[in-house]
Each structure stands twice: as C-alpha cells, then as structure tokens.
Amino acid sequence: MLTKVDLVDREWLDLVREEVVEFLKGTTLEGAPVVEVSSVTGQGLDELLDTIDMVAKEVKEKPATGFVRLPVDRVFSITGFGTVATGTLWSGTLHTGDALEIMPQKISTRVRTLQVHGRKVEEARAGQRVAVNLTGVDVEEVPRGSVLATPGSLTPSYRLDVRFVLLRTARPLKNRSRVRLHLGTSEIMCRVILLDRDELSPQETALAQLELEEPAVAVRGDRFVVRSYSPVRTIGGGKIIDPVAPKHRRLRREVIESLLTREKGTPEEVLVQQLSSRRTILTAEELVKVSGLDENTVKKTLHSLVQNKQVYSIPLENQVYYILREVYLEWARNIHSMLQEYHRDFPLREGFPKEEMRSRLFAGLNSKQFQSLLQVMEEDGLVKLYTQEVALPEFTPKPNPKHEKQIQQLLEIYREGDCQPPAWGEATRRVGVEGHTAQEILQYLLRKGMLVRVADDLYFHPACVNRARQILVDYLRENGEITVGETRDLLQTSRKYALPLLEYFDREKITRRVEDKRVLTRAERQKTGHNR
C-alpha cells in the first residue's frame, strides 16, 4: 500500500511504485498487489478494501488440530478479573476452563474466560487474536515472550538447531557471533554456532545451532528472525529444525547429515533419525514434541515402522514406548555380554540383579520402563526373568565338580547336626571353603532349599526342620500347648536351638505365641482336623 499519494505527482508515484516492486523481488511478497491510497481524498480506499477481500479469500485457514500454542505479546490486570494475556493462537483450539502451562517458566494455570476481538467466547481457534483471562497467576509470571500451551506439550531448551539465512544487506557473520533472536513474541540473546563453516556470507544459508542465554520453547518448522547485537538491525532469519537439540561438534559430516534428514526427510526418516540419535525409548507424544510432526502423522508412521519391524513397541501400563530396531539389538547384545561374564564369574547365582543392570546400562530408563523392556526381550527369547534377577535363557545355576563335592560335605554335616547344627563359619572351615566362595555356596543352598535359614547365621537341614515340625504338630494336636523348655526336651536339643525353631514356625504360620507358650494356628488346626 502506497499512502499519501495526494502529496506527489504521477511521475514520482510511478518511480516509488517501481522501487517497491523491485525491492520485493525474491521475497514472499513478490508479485503482491500494490494499491495507491490517500486518506485525505479517499483515493484508492475502495480498491484497497476489494484487494483485502480478494487476498483474504486466498488465505488458508490454520488447522485447529494439535496442541494449544499462544505466544503472549501483551499482559495486564483487570480489577475483578485478574491477569489477562493476549496473543495470536498459533495452533489448537482453546476453551473456557482448559488447563494451560506458561512456558518456558512451567507454571500451571487455567482459562477463566476468553475473548476474540473484544467479544466473549467459549472457544478460540488457531489463527485468531485471543485475550485469555488466567487463574492463579500474577502479571509478572506471564511476561511478553511467554507461551501459553497445552500442559506437557513443549520442552524448554537452551539450544536450537536451525537453517539460517543471512540477508544480502548484512555483513559476513562469523562463528559464535552474539545476536538477538526473535522467536514468537520473545527476544533472546544468543550465539550463532555455524556447524558447516567458519563464516557465513551475505545471501548464503547454513546449518547452525543457536546457543540461548535464556530457555525458549519452539516446534520444528517455526520461523525466526535474527537482529544484530549493536546496532540493532535485522540481518537474517530461518527455520527451526530441532527445538530441543543436543550440543554438536562443528564441521562433522555425521552431524550435518543428521540435520539434513531432520530438515528434509520423510516422516519415516525423521522418526528413525530421532530414535537413533536419542538412543532411548520414546512415546508417540514425546516423538511429536521432538520431531515437529503432527500427532496423526507420528502415529500413522509409527504403525508402519512397527509393521516393517524397523521399530519395536514396548507396552507399559497405559503407554506404549518405541525403540529403533538397531538400538534394541545393540542393547540386547550389551545385556548378553554382561550376562555371559556374570554367569562365568558366579555360576551358582540365578542371574544378574535387575536394578544393578539398569543403573549400569540403562540409567535413562526408570525401573518400570526397564522391566517392560526386559519382558519384550524375554518374549523374543533373549533373556530369562526372575523376580529380582535376569539371566540368559540357556543358563541354569550349576556347581562345578569342586563345589559339588564341598556342597555334599556341608549337607552331610548339617544332616548329622540334626537339631543342633553348627554355625556356617564352623561348617565351612571343616570343609575348607572360605570367604566369597562360602557365601556363594550358602546363597545357592538357601535358594535351592537344601538348607533352611531359621535365624541369622543359623541354618538347618530341611530334613531336620520337617521332622521337628511333625513332632511339634503331633505334640500340640494331643496337648494343645507347649513351652520352650518342653520343645527343647521333645527335640533333644538346647534352648539355643529350640527358641529360634519355635520363632521360625511362628513366622511360617504353623504355631503362634500365647504368653510364654505356643499353640497351633487356626489354619494348622484345620489341616489336622483339630479345633482345640
């Protein structure tokens, strides 16, 4: 629009018109209609309105799908209503009562009322100018540059991977130049890390990483503008490739190829690249956030990748996690190597403790996620799971010939000891087993039920325990109650062993203590047919 045309002659007006058309060449406004108007004479106003109507009809309505994202450009307080934030709704549909998150501050709030162009509404859609009356927050908590978003939909980041374009009117830009980033309604100081060169010349484009001095939230494909630090002039801009980027090493071919895939790849290539670079399990919702693809595209693409076995799915409660096949197989190889070594060093143990394995190999997964991963691997025949341990499918705890001989000697000692067994240390000294090996054998015997732990450092042969139980039950069936002293005499042992045995039977719900005596439990009486 050329204004104040009533102040110049036709020749000057034509010259200015040509300059505007020439200036707009090569931009998104090339070929746009130019209307000459005067607010004084009214010249061109009807043509301007008709042109606006024509252009408006060609504008495609923004889809109202996806999560809510509203960059705040103004915030104020109204007496009786509280904090009001205004901005253009970039995506999603907003309703009265909706929960929102103020980002990047991560402050929870809720929509009290909505206005669109000064009119109260119950719903606002993407593309509309919206005033949002927020509950539970002060004006200072929603500064300009904040983003109102669906809770959990955005992740603050200090690094953005971008495609950067330097304007032809700008000076050459050196690596690590400090600039002003304009993203949404925010202005953030940052440094431009050129990933594929040392200096960017005017009119050139480059892959870069923006290191921010404050966290920002963005989505793949977002546009941004960059202005110089001083003097403040627009020097370029570009598009977000990765809104939550890890730190990269410059001038690396693999980094450049990775960013090119994220920038121009198909949805399949983008999701595979994200799963490969992060080398972890991610939900569809998390992949939406890091990939910049919409929810429907991500879910449809994941279904295809799972069908083609490029990606594995791992169900967990109400969530499904996804892992790249090559990452899954690499993890399986690492687990296999660890278990092989462990089984060699500890042949008497059932398997490797799950939590210890998780902390060593998979610290990025929580216990439930790791358990679900192991269950998928068990279904694939890669591991065998116990309550607290994990082992190779073909592995069975088995003593070597030397250990087998020592085990038989120890069992004979405890069988002969009957209801007056030796302490474990004494028994192992008689057999010649010491230290670590003694503990390994003890745990093996307890796990296999070859010995019974009655109390700390007090172990009985199971034949003795079973005999003592039967004698005790028969006695109580006839007599109803028994003291520690009577138990001692009945089992021909000492109080040192009689009392721990009674306490063991209490824990096993065979007897229960009544003052200083024992009686059969109700369950045990029902077994024997006695209700005395």
Side-chain angles (χ1 to χ4, degrees), residues 90-133:
W90 279 14
S91 63
T93 304
L94 194 56
H95 303 88
T96 300
D98 281 355
L100 290 176
E101 193 171 23
I102 303 167
M103 300 296 285
Q105 301 92 323
K106 293 186 177 181
I107 299 173
S108 298
T109 184
R110 191 172 292 276
V111 179
R112 177 179 284 141
T113 58
L114 290 171
Q115 282 192 0
V116 174
H117 296 296
R119 183 169 56 89
K120 187 175 180 180
V121 296
E122 293 297 317
E123 176 187 278
R125 297 171 60 85
Q128 294 180 322
R129 286 287 302 172
V130 186
V132 187
N133 183 200

Side-chain angles (χ1 to χ4, degrees), residues 311-335:
V311 168
Y312 289 177
S313 60
I314 300 174
L316 172 59
E317 295 176 346
N318 297 324
Q319 290 275 28
V320 177
Y321 288 85
Y322 298 89
I323 181 172
L324 193 64
R325 180 175 184 271
E326 63 185 50
V327 176
Y328 175 85
L329 294 178
E330 178 187 330
W331 285 4
R333 286 192 296 270
N334 292 340
I335 289 175

Side-chain angles (χ1 to χ4, degrees), residues 275 280-285 287 298-299 302-303 305-306 311-314 320-324:
L275 288 168
T280 188
I281 60 175
L282 296 170
T283 63
E285 290 75 16
L287 283 166
V298 167
K299 289 184 176 179
L302 284 172
H303 178 74
L305 291 171
V306 170
V311 168
Y312 289 177
S313 60
I314 300 174
V320 177
Y321 288 85
Y322 298 89
I323 181 172
L324 193 64

Side-chain angles (χ1 to χ4, degrees), residues 132-145:
V132 187
N133 183 200
L134 301 172
T135 65
V137 292
D138 296 328
V139 170
E140 295 76 17
E141 295 178 285
V142 200
R144 174 184 169 86

Side-chain angles (χ1 to χ4, degrees), residues 296-312:
N296 288 335
T297 299
V298 167
K299 289 184 176 179
K300 189 182 300 183
T301 304
L302 284 172
H303 178 74
S304 174
L305 291 171
V306 170
Q307 292 293 104
N308 296 332
K309 298 190 182 303
Q310 287 178 266
V311 168
Y312 289 177

Side-chain angles (χ1 to χ4, degrees), residues 231-467:
V232 182
R233 295 186 301 179
T234 301
I235 60 173
K239 185 185 291 188
I240 304 291
I241 297 174
D242 189 343
V244 189
K247 188 172 185 177
H248 300 306
R249 298 185 69 176
R250 297 181 59 246
L251 309 177
R252 293 298 180 100
R253 181 176 59 83
E254 63 272 17
V255 172
I256 303 305
E257 290 178 354
S258 170
L259 289 179
L260 289 173
T261 298
R262 296 188 203 184
E263 181 183 24
K264 300 178 180 179
T266 63
E268 288 82 0
E269 291 171 333
V270 170
L271 292 187
V272 166
Q273 204 283 327
Q274 287 288 347
L275 288 168
S276 177
S277 64
R278 297 174 193 278
R279 309 196 75 74
T280 188
I281 60 175
L282 296 170
T283 63
E285 290 75 16
E286 289 170 330
L287 283 166
V288 168
K289 290 166 64 174
V290 299
S291 69
L293 301 173
D294 65 83
E295 184 178 354
N296 288 335
T297 299
V298 167
K299 289 184 176 179
K300 189 182 300 183
T301 304
L302 284 172
H303 178 74
S304 174
L305 291 171
V306 170
Q307 292 293 104
N308 296 332
K309 298 190 182 303
Q310 287 178 266
V311 168
Y312 289 177
S313 60
I314 300 174
L316 172 59
E317 295 176 346
N318 297 324
Q319 290 275 28
V320 177
Y321 288 85
Y322 298 89
I323 181 172
L324 193 64
R325 180 175 184 271
E326 63 185 50
V327 176
Y328 175 85
L329 294 178
E330 178 187 330
W331 285 4
R333 286 192 296 270
N334 292 340
I335 289 175
H336 188 274
S337 297
M338 176 176 278
L339 290 177
Q340 271 190 323
E341 182 178 346
Y342 191 80
H343 293 332
R344 185 182 65 247
D345 294 341
F346 304 102
L348 298 179
R349 297 186 186 181
E350 278 192 328
F352 201 106
K354 291 178 184 176
E355 266 307 299
E356 185 178 345
M357 178 179 284
R358 185 186 70 83
S359 63
R360 286 195 189 184
L361 296 182
F362 305 99
L365 305 183
N366 62 41
S367 296
K368 288 186 177 180
Q369 291 172 337
F370 182 56
Q371 177 66 25
S372 297
L373 172 68
L374 289 179
Q375 286 173 351
V376 172
M377 289 186 172
E378 184 178 44
E379 291 170 6
D380 290 341
L382 300 174
V383 297
K384 178 169 55 178
L385 300 183
Y386 298 98
T387 305
Q388 299 296 335
E389 293 83 22
V390 54
L392 292 176
E394 66 278 7
F395 175 76
T396 300
K398 184 178 180 181
N400 59 34
K402 180 181 178 181
H403 290 161
E404 183 64 47
K405 182 179 179 181
Q406 293 167 333
I407 286 171
Q408 293 307 319
Q409 291 173 334
L410 286 166
L411 291 178
E412 187 59 31
I413 288 172
Y414 277 91
R415 187 181 292 108
E416 291 176 353
D418 196 29
C419 288
Q420 297 188 77
W424 178 252
E426 178 188 340
T428 55
R429 280 194 297 274
R430 287 162 61 181
V431 174
V433 181
E434 297 178 350
H436 171 74
T437 303
Q439 275 302 113
E440 289 295 310
I441 290 177
L442 174 60
Q443 295 305 317
Y444 175 77
L445 293 175
L446 292 173
R447 194 166 56 247
K448 292 293 184 179
M450 297 179 182
L451 283 184
V452 177
R453 188 197 303 269
V454 170
D456 289 342
D457 200 31
L458 183 57
Y459 309 98
F460 283 70
H461 195 282
C464 169
V465 173
N466 291 335
R467 187 176 67 84

